Amino acid sequence: MIEQITVQNYILFDKASVEFEDGMSVITGETGAGKSLLIDAIGYLCGGRIQGSIVRQGQDKAVLRMVLTSSPAADALLLEHGFEPEEVLTITRTVNAAGKSQVRLNGQITTLGFIRQLTARLIDIHSQLDTIQLMDPAVQLDLLDQYAGVDRQGVQDAWKEFASARQALQQAQNETYSDEELEFVTAQLNEIDSAKAGEGELEQLQESIRTASRSQKTEEEVREILGLLKKDGGILESVYELARVMKKNPGLAGRSDEIQSLYYQLESVGEEAQEQLDSVRDQARDLDAMQDREYQLKRLYRKYGGSREAMMEKRQALETRVDRILHRQDLFDKLEKQKKAALAAYVEKARALSKAREAVIPELQEQILSHARDLMLEHARFEIRRTDKTPGETGMDDITFYASMNPGQPLTPVRQSASGGELSRLMLALKTVFQTREGIDTIIFDEIDTGVSGKVALAMGSKMHKIAENRQVLCITHLASVAVWADRHFTVSKESDGQTTLTRISELDHEETLRELAIMAHGHATEQAVDGMRELQKEVLDGQSPVSH
């Protein structure tokens, strides 16, 4: 239920706030005063697309805010999208002068797509355009399925499975299977296999190449070390000679062992240096081979996707292709079998859906006719006809609403048989039937009474009031016969000082409501006109109106 709507710097409004309650509320006012602006604002707060600027002239931004009561269906969606369910939801949409907007839910930034999903579970906005859309067979199918409470997802999923299987078979049948292609694909597969590229091999190669590239400098350093140690008159020879001489000297003979130990240590360093020199020489000899291997791997990787992983994926695809060429008939048989199985699964679910639809058609027809007669369509006949259609995501049924509004008139599709006013009443009859099943708390009627008057308008007001027994109903109307049924009455007025124009909305008390009704009905609020509205209102409240409700 919508509890409050607040707008600021919004088109003709500088600032306005309206609080709504349960029951039926009407919004009236002269043409052009801005009645529909509030409904438009609710539409924008429900994630609707904004066309043109809605920012009041001279202002930087418009701020729209709606406070509404949540529901179990809305709470489930909130949990699914990571929001904490709350009893009261506040949706705020800020729009700047450039047309860019931001939407928040309870202060948290979110997306318009999510807001559309959320509010679709809470609010139903019905306008003249929706009445026109009733003529679309696709909309009629949706309404029937909504009434039947069926879930088309299973049929849609089964259709997608079948469509995918059918496409796979068609693709396989359209592929070429020549000997030349087999030779070409096999050559590519052999090229990859013969390379025997190991996982991580290229990285290891590149590290070895870097090490080998540094070997020349390393070799020079090691040769210099060996030269210092082993050349004639070098360090080893000198230390050895030093130890020999010290042994002969009584004063130093005791320390000759230290020099002897140093000699052995230096000799060990020389052996290690020689091993390193041999290794460096081997690496230098391997460098050319490693660089050749690196080139080979890089060329293959570039050719088959840019990396070893991509190349191996390509190899799998090539192997699959070879298998498809060599065993194409087996492949055709397999894909044909999969297609038939998918089609059978789809047909089973689609037939079950058709039976569910057919089962509720008689009941739905009777309920719609009952409400249509309440709306002064005494001679109306109404049928829902199902015919077979080409299978698709919605099943195998074409659904068309047929109607006859006058005696002697044959049943024809609704788009051919109903005038604007009759179509509005038929849609209201549908809303009355569906509102008990939708689980939606708020229904908004935006001037759906266009083209009707008198007792017909009274009947439409009665039907809206009936819906408001279980749902919140907001109604924009220009007819006193509809507005008289309201539990609360708001009026929109426009003021201008010649330079600026402001639109205001205010709730009327009882006497103000009667005067507004008199003006709507007669164009003036004379005492006689007001008394007439008082009497009509009394009849409506006492249930004495000529229209049952």
Side-chain angles (χ1 to χ4, degrees), residues 188-475:
Q188 289 186 313
L189 188 60
N190 290 337
E191 182 180 32
I192 293 174
D193 287 345
S194 63
K196 297 180 180 178
E199 185 174 354
E201 179 184 357
L202 179 60
E203 292 74 15
Q204 293 175 0
L205 263 178
Q206 290 171 331
E207 178 60 32
S208 297
I209 289 171
R210 284 191 291 271
T211 301
S213 297
R214 294 193 296 267
S215 63
Q216 184 175 5
K217 183 176 181 181
T218 302
E219 183 179 357
E220 293 174 356
E221 293 169 348
V222 173
R223 285 184 180 279
E224 184 177 359
I225 291 170
L226 288 171
L228 291 171
L229 287 171
K230 295 185 176 183
K231 68 181 180 179
D232 291 342
I235 294 173
L236 279 174
E237 188 175 314
S238 298
V239 171
Y240 180 83
E241 186 63 23
L242 176 61
R244 187 183 66 78
V245 173
M246 287 177 64
K247 284 182 179 181
K248 296 178 181 180
N249 187 302
L252 294 173
R255 302 196 63 182
S256 64
D257 290 343
E258 295 177 31
I259 302 302
Q260 188 72 31
S261 175
L262 176 59
Y263 172 81
Y264 292 131
Q265 291 178 32
L266 290 172
E267 190 175 47
S268 175
V269 169
E271 291 172 354
E272 290 181 19
Q274 185 62 51
E275 289 176 0
Q276 186 177 16
L277 180 61
D278 294 340
S279 175
V280 165
R281 286 172 177 170
D282 291 340
Q283 288 177 358
R285 285 194 296 270
D286 293 342
L287 180 59
D288 289 343
M290 288 189 294
Q291 288 175 332
D292 287 344
R293 178 62 171 169
E294 179 191 32
Y295 173 78
Q296 180 191 22
L297 293 179
K298 283 185 173 181
R299 182 184 64 81
L300 283 175
Y301 292 173
R302 283 195 301 269
K303 183 175 180 180
Y304 296 111
S307 66
R308 182 183 183 277
E309 291 73 18
M311 184 179 74
M312 298 312 291
E313 289 177 7
K314 178 66 175 179
R315 184 199 176 283
Q316 182 62 45
L318 291 170
E319 192 171 55
T320 300
R321 181 63 179 156
V322 169
D323 185 69
R324 288 165 75 97
I325 295 173
L326 292 175
H327 307 96
R328 49 185 173 271
Q329 189 55 53
D330 292 341
L331 175 65
F332 293 160
D333 293 343
K334 175 185 174 183
L335 294 177
E336 181 67 34
K337 184 178 180 180
Q338 290 175 349
K339 188 189 81 168
K340 287 180 177 179
L343 179 59
Y346 166 78
V347 169
E348 180 181 358
K349 292 183 178 181
R351 284 177 176 166
L353 179 60
S354 295
K355 288 181 180 179
R357 288 166 174 165
E358 289 179 325
V360 301
I361 285 177
E363 175 190 331
L364 178 56
Q365 288 176 165
E366 185 54 41
Q367 288 200 38
I368 291 172
L369 272 176
S370 175
H371 289 293
R373 293 184 185 113
D374 291 342
L375 292 167
M376 312 296 287
L377 293 171
E378 299 92 342
H379 303 292
R381 290 184 295 150
F382 180 79
E383 284 186 12
I384 301 173
R385 295 184 181 177
R386 188 204 73 80
T387 55
D388 293 335
K389 73 157 191 174
T390 303
E393 284 194 356
T394 59
M396 301 186 296
D397 307 315
D398 266 331
I399 297 296
T400 307
F401 289 1
Y402 279 73
S404 170
M405 298 301 178
N406 301 295
Q409 179 185 6
L411 284 164
T412 57
V414 167
R415 62 180 178 272
Q416 301 172 13
S417 60
S419 65
E422 291 168 337
L423 198 60
S424 295
R425 282 180 276 171
L426 185 59
M427 175 54 91
L428 185 53
L430 287 165
K431 284 290 177 185
T432 307
V433 173
F434 293 134
Q435 61 95 13
T436 59
R437 291 177 176 253
E438 288 179 342
I440 288 175
D441 293 330
T442 300
I443 300 176
I444 300 173
F445 295 107
D446 185 7
E447 293 188 342
I448 69 162
D449 49 21
T450 300
V452 301
S453 60
K455 290 184 178 182
V456 172
L458 272 173
M460 293 187 73
S462 172
K463 194 60 67 176
M464 293 181 197
H465 193 264
K466 185 69 175 177
I467 294 175
E469 291 178 1
N470 300 300
R471 300 287 186 274
Q472 180 189 53
V473 171
L474 307 182
C475 173

